[in-house]
Amino acid sequence: MKNKLIIPILLAGTLFVSCKEEIKQRNIEVNYPETAKKPVTDTIFETAVVDNYRWLEDDRSKETENWVKAENAVTFDYLSKIPYREQLKERLSELWNYEKVGTPFIEGNYTYFRKNDGLQNQSVIYRKKGDAEPEVFLDPNTFSEDATTSLGSLSFSKDGKTLAYSISEGGSDWRKIIIMDAESKIIKEDTLVDVKFSGISWYKNEGFYYSSYDKPKGSELSAKTDQHKLYYHKLGTSQKNDAVIFGEIPSEKHRYVGGYLTEDDKYLVITASTSTSGNKLFIKDLSKSNSKLVTVINDVKSDTYIAESRGSKLYLVTNLNAPNKKVVTVDASNPSPENWKDFIPETENVLSLNSGAGYFFAEYMVDAVSKVLQYDFDGKLIREVKLPGVGSSGGFGGKTDAKELYFSFTNYNTPNSSYKFNPKDGTYTSYWKPSIAFNSNEYESKQVFYTSKDGTKVPMIITHKKGVELNGKNPTILYGYGGFNISLTPSFSIANAIWMEQGGIYAVPNLRGGGEYGKKWHDAGTQLKKQNVFDDFIAAAEYLIAEKYTSSDFLAIRGGSNGGLLVGATMTQRPDLMKVALPAVGVLDMLRYHTFTAGAGWAYDYGTANDSKEMFDYLKGYSPVHNVKKGTKYPATMVTTGDHDDRVVPAHSFKFAAELQDKQAGENPVLIRIETNAGHGAGTPVAKTIEQYSDIFGFTLYNMGFDQLPNPPKEKIKS
């Protein structure tokens, strides 16, 4: 599928040995800044809700700015006293420093690919013609002095001669689009500004479609945005003259709108959504002048998109009456669901689809592990593609006339590698494998199935050094997400490799709310069933403890965004269960999340406090900000966020940290680490990422009682 609608959503082992058999209390003194209480009372369904820290929602105020500086001063003073923080940073830098090459793609006369020499803050786009040596085509490291301006999407005109690419400044979701002559690398016209949640889809060589909102009044980082519009930009014209294609009139008002072209440029496909699940679908025949918009689906009860077309025959991927998705065909002249015919029927495993070289590639998740089947355009099964191992694959996409395709493969202890695939005979050869100072053979992954509170079986993959002793004393990170139909499939992480290199265990359960088992699995963790997600996570922790992988004294829980909510809810419901909590860029105020930026689009998963008294009571019952209890001993906590996060605004994290600092009993520290000039995570410079992980791992180990690294790097011999 090309230019799909973009909707944001949200490793014989060395054992850890502490200086003492018992976990000892840390001795770094923490003096938290004074956080003023300025009560604001909301009455929702006749219930008064007091918000003492509403003032921290104002991201433009001097008072909030001063609070951020004061909290960071305390946090970084604490972190600076962890004795092995610099050792972690050095080892992360050392292991990170290997060449990384992305899978190539062909545009015009060139083959393009991304490459990072090792510690470059942003990956560089290279290209080569034929067998010539590659040249630098686009270097995002030159976009800004501090490397916080990153490259978003790339899209070439049909002939490959013109490029439109988006950039993000300071991690913001607001983007700019720059248009460049691909041959000369000269910028062609004025930059497009104020673009958000958008693909870039070319119509021939004439112009492209993109999406955005009107710039909000007030703060562009937190003000609500809920009327998305699809625009067409014709090359050589001013952005102010760009035509609105969809989303201008009241009947077309939706929170997310996207548009893309079928490969033959015949059909413009428009998707429209009010939430992150479910979409309406329309097509417009561009081969006919003044053609009308044709409705394919006029409700948001399914996730459906057009993957390919052949003449007037459309190939759609849908979960309408097929929770695990299937592929159907229909004629564009009458494309409504009653005329659909099954092409690749639904199976017991979740389907995702790619196409290239005249074939479809159906990737299935079998207990979160990839299986790939190749079909022709008549629906005939050609073969199962035998992958290099058990893990996650990606790719197999390309143009219809492509002679070869590329795919990637990874798992928790195997770095991402790419392969060149021959679609005619199903053979493939290694295209690129990393040279990294990490021996995958020393590590192992095991998938287990544990039982959640209500009897549901939940899979979890546990990865660690071979030979680890199950004595209940292994520092363990339990990582989860559990929402928005997102699937956590095996993938390699340099940071996690460092954790496991030190003897740590890394465990990832596939919680309800995710997409690993289709729409039913997703729906089982939404709205009035959201507690299932937290119960699944708690049960995963209890399994690890019962099986003696770890114990509460050596367990850390971690998650970001919706996973930050997961950590916040789990630590407030079961503060006894873990030693360390690491909520990152979390959705933590469940009564007000829908009032910021595009937050209202998450209502499919969460519901809102305005929906009903039942929904309000349910949200209030688990909302982390509203469930911090005075006098409770919470685990050592480091909240992390970015001051430019306009996806999950940092006020969530600010208010949660303030509540914890005010009400914490005992001596476990509660810190907030606020990255400045940074957003929700995408495009974060490598240098900042390394600093973040050295702080996260340092904080975690130190609060588990370790005065030195269990497996310290060997001293380098000085010449």
Side-chain angles (χ1 to χ4, degrees):
M1 184 213 37
K2 318 297 189 295
N3 295 292
K4 185 184 176 185
L5 167 66
I6 293 178
I7 294 180
I9 45 176
L10 279 171
L11 290 193
T14 302
L15 300 178
F16 278 92
V17 181
S18 179
C19 294
K20 291 185 180 180
E21 186 68 22
E22 298 297 323
I23 294 294
K24 59 185 182 181
Q25 183 59 50
R26 310 321 297 154
N27 55 10
I28 299 176
E29 185 178 352
V30 182
N31 294 308
Y32 302 117
E34 186 83 24
T35 303
K37 293 181 180 179
K38 302 179 182 181
V40 176
T41 301
D42 295 319
T43 300
I44 309 173
F45 293 106
E46 301 181 350
T47 301
V49 181
V50 178
D51 186 345
N52 286 317
Y53 305 112
R54 182 74 54 88
W55 62 272
L56 285 170
E57 293 178 3
D58 187 353
D59 54 76
R60 298 183 299 173
S61 78
K62 190 68 176 177
E63 193 174 12
T64 301
E65 180 185 344
N66 290 337
W67 183 87
V68 167
K69 290 178 179 177
E71 288 286 347
N72 266 347
V74 169
T75 296
F76 286 106
D77 178 67
Y78 181 99
L79 294 170
S80 70
K81 294 173 182 174
I82 295 174
Y84 38 79
R85 181 190 186 202
E86 285 303 312
Q87 283 181 298
L88 283 168
K89 184 177 177 181
E90 288 174 10
R91 181 57 183 142
L92 278 160
S93 298
E94 183 180 23
L95 190 58
W96 216 291
N97 192 14
Y98 71 94
E99 185 180 73
K100 306 164 193 70
V101 177
T103 51
F105 56 97
I106 297 171
E107 297 290 349
N109 297 320
Y110 293 91
T111 298
Y112 293 83
F113 59 93
R114 295 174 186 262
K115 188 178 84 168
N116 190 304
D117 290 341
L119 293 175
Q120 289 176 288
N121 280 311
Q122 307 288 345
S123 294
V124 178
I125 307 298
Y126 286 78
R127 72 176 178 187
K128 65 176 184 176
K129 183 183 288 186
D131 295 326
E133 286 297 307
E135 64 172 351
V136 173
F137 176 65
L138 193 62
D139 185 358
N141 296 289
T142 65
F143 290 174
S144 63
E145 289 187 8
D146 61 359
T148 59
T149 298
S150 59
L151 177 65
S153 57
L154 287 167
S155 185
F156 287 83
S157 59
K158 298 297 178 175
D159 60 9
K161 294 181 179 179
T162 309
L163 167 69
Y165 65 92
S166 65
I167 61 171
S168 167
E169 296 169 318
S172 173
D173 280 332
W174 290 100
R175 305 292 168 93
K176 295 178 178 178
I177 295 178
I178 297 169
I179 301 164
M180 188 172 80
D181 179 271
E183 188 63 43
S184 66
K185 296 185 276 191
I186 295 174
I187 304 300
K188 294 188 68 169
E189 55 182 77
D190 291 341
T191 296
L192 276 62
V193 298
D194 299 336
V195 177
K196 191 171 185 179
F197 300 154
S198 179
I200 302 171
S201 187
W202 282 86
Y203 175 66
K204 300 181 179 179
N205 305 308
E206 300 173 9
F208 55 83
Y209 295 88
Y210 68 96
S211 306
S212 196
Y213 305 91
D214 294 334
K215 206 64 175 288
K217 297 176 182 178
S219 171
E220 69 176 61
L221 294 178
S222 59
K224 190 172 183 177
T225 49
D226 65 354
Q227 185 165 356
H228 217 198
K229 300 175 185 177
L230 179 67
Y231 294 86
Y232 177 70
H233 177 75
K234 184 175 176 60
L235 290 185
T237 65
S238 172
Q239 183 182 7
K240 67 182 180 181
N241 296 323
D242 289 353
V244 179
I245 305 302
F246 187 93
E248 182 82 72
I249 60 178
S251 63
E252 295 178 349
K253 180 180 177 181
H254 293 82
R255 196 162 285 116
Y256 308 116
V257 170
Y260 59 94
L261 280 299
T262 53
E263 189 176 342
D264 59 6
D265 279 330
K266 183 174 182 179
Y267 296 106
L268 170 65
V269 183
I270 298 175
T271 57
S273 309
T274 56
S275 189
T276 51
S277 289
N279 65 275
K280 299 178 183 178
L281 186 65
F282 310 93
I283 57 172
K284 183 178 175 65
D285 188 343
L286 300 182
S287 68
K288 301 175 181 177
S289 59
N290 301 317
S291 62
K292 301 291 184 181
L293 202 63
V294 175
T295 300
V296 181
I297 294 180
N298 200 32
D299 60 48
V300 293
K301 296 177 182 178
S302 70
D303 300 283
T304 303
Y305 66 89
I306 296 172
E308 279 289 353
S309 67
R310 287 291 183 272
S312 64
K313 186 177 184 179
L314 307 177
Y315 297 81
L316 297 86
V317 178
T318 185
N319 60 10
L320 182 63
N321 301 319
N324 293 334
K325 295 186 180 178
K326 63 181 179 179
V327 183
V328 299
T329 59
V330 72
D331 193 273
S333 62
N334 200 0
S336 54
E338 61 267 22
N339 299 308
W340 294 356
K341 295 180 180 179
D342 281 5
F343 180 73
I344 301 177
E346 182 190 21
T347 72
E348 62 182 3
N349 299 307
V350 180
L351 165 73
S352 61
L353 193 72
N354 264 308
S355 62
Y359 296 96
F360 286 111
F361 295 87
E363 180 186 343
Y364 292 95
M365 278 188 294
V366 183
D367 295 329
V369 172
S370 292
K371 175 181 179 179
V372 178
L373 302 181
Q374 180 179 351
Y375 291 87
D376 65 17
F377 267 68
D378 294 321
K380 178 185 175 183
L381 175 63
I382 304 300
R383 64 179 59 88
E384 177 181 349
V385 180
K386 299 298 183 182
L387 297 173
V390 177
S392 305
S393 68
F396 295 103
K399 294 181 172 63
T400 300
D401 60 0
K403 300 294 188 252
E404 55 195 23
L405 302 172
Y406 297 86
F407 72 92
S408 61
F409 179 81
T410 183
N411 56 35
Y412 286 118
N413 58 345
T414 304
N416 195 67
S417 302
S418 55
Y419 298 83
K420 182 186 290 188
F421 178 78
N422 184 330
K424 293 296 184 184
D425 61 17
T427 60
Y428 56 84
T429 56
S430 175
Y431 177 77
W432 177 81
K433 284 191 174 182
S435 177
I436 179 173
F438 177 78
N439 187 353
S440 299
N441 294 327
E442 294 181 359
Y443 299 82
E444 61 183 348
S445 287
K446 176 184 179 182
Q447 186 174 58
V448 301
F449 288 82
Y450 65 90
T451 304
S452 191
K453 183 178 180 179
D454 64 356
T456 300
K457 294 292 185 182
V458 181
M460 174 165 58
I461 295 180
I462 306 169
T463 310
H464 52 73
K465 272 191 173 184
K466 292 177 179 176
V468 69
E469 183 181 350
L470 301 186
N471 59 6
K473 297 178 183 178
N474 300 300
T476 298
I477 290 178
L478 178 64
Y479 180 87
Y481 188 79
F484 295 91
N485 203 35
I486 298 297
S487 301
L488 296 187
T489 58
S491 63
F492 182 77
S493 158
I494 298 168
N496 292 335
I498 293 293
W499 177 257
M500 295 185 296
E501 185 180 70
Q502 292 295 324
I505 290 174
Y506 185 68
V508 182
N510 297 111
L511 313 172
R512 280 175 284 185
E516 291 87 352
Y517 295 104
K519 188 171 177 58
K520 289 180 179 178
W521 193 253
H522 174 209
D523 288 347
T526 61
Q527 297 196 23
L528 296 173
K529 298 177 182 178
K530 188 66 179 176
Q531 184 62 39
N532 286 337
V533 186
F534 314 141
D535 290 342
D536 289 356
F537 201 52
I538 290 167
E542 291 174 335
Y543 175 90
L544 293 169
I545 292 168
E547 297 296 319
K548 297 192 180 302
Y549 284 96
T550 190
S551 62
S552 292
D553 284 336
F554 294 97
L555 177 64
I557 59 171
R558 184 165 180 259
S561 197
N562 174 73
L565 163 62
L566 173 69
V567 172
T570 301
M571 66 178 283
T572 51
Q573 292 181 16
R574 286 292 306 277
D576 61 304
L577 191 58
M578 73 295 298
K579 184 63 180 178
V580 178
L582 301 164
V585 293
V587 187
L588 298 161
D589 184 342
M590 300 309 297
L591 302 186
R592 286 181 57 74
Y593 79 86
H594 59 291
T595 66
F596 305 114
T597 60
W602 311 333
Y604 183 94
D605 265 56
Y606 299 147
T608 76
N610 300 327
D611 290 347
S612 66
K613 186 176 188 307
E614 182 185 26
M615 193 72 251
F616 160 69
D617 288 339
Y618 193 86
L619 289 166
K620 187 172 181 292
Y622 75 77
S623 175
V625 164
H626 300 91
N627 283 278
V628 182
K629 302 291 193 298
K630 191 77 172 177
T632 301
K633 293 183 179 180
Y634 291 103
T637 303
M638 187 161 72
V639 181
T640 53
T641 190
D643 68 344
H644 278 63
D645 190 343
D646 48 0
R647 185 84 56 86
V648 180
V649 295
H652 285 277
S653 295
F654 295 173
K655 292 162 75 172
F656 188 52
E659 290 283 357
L660 285 168
Q661 289 177 356
D662 178 54
K663 297 174 179 175
Q664 169 73 310
E667 298 180 6
N668 285 332
V670 175
L671 305 177
I672 180 167
R673 186 188 188 282
I674 306 157
E675 192 71 66
T676 55
N677 204 26
H680 199 58
T684 302
V686 165
K688 283 194 174 189
T689 301
I690 288 173
E691 289 174 357
Q692 289 168 4
Y693 276 112
S694 62
D695 289 347
I696 288 168
F697 291 161
F699 178 85
T700 299
L701 293 174
Y702 193 69
N703 282 283
M704 288 177 175
F706 298 98
D707 291 325
Q708 62 181 22
L709 287 179
N711 188 19
K714 295 178 182 178
E715 292 291 332
K716 294 179 181 177
I717 299 174
K718 296 180 180 179
S719 57

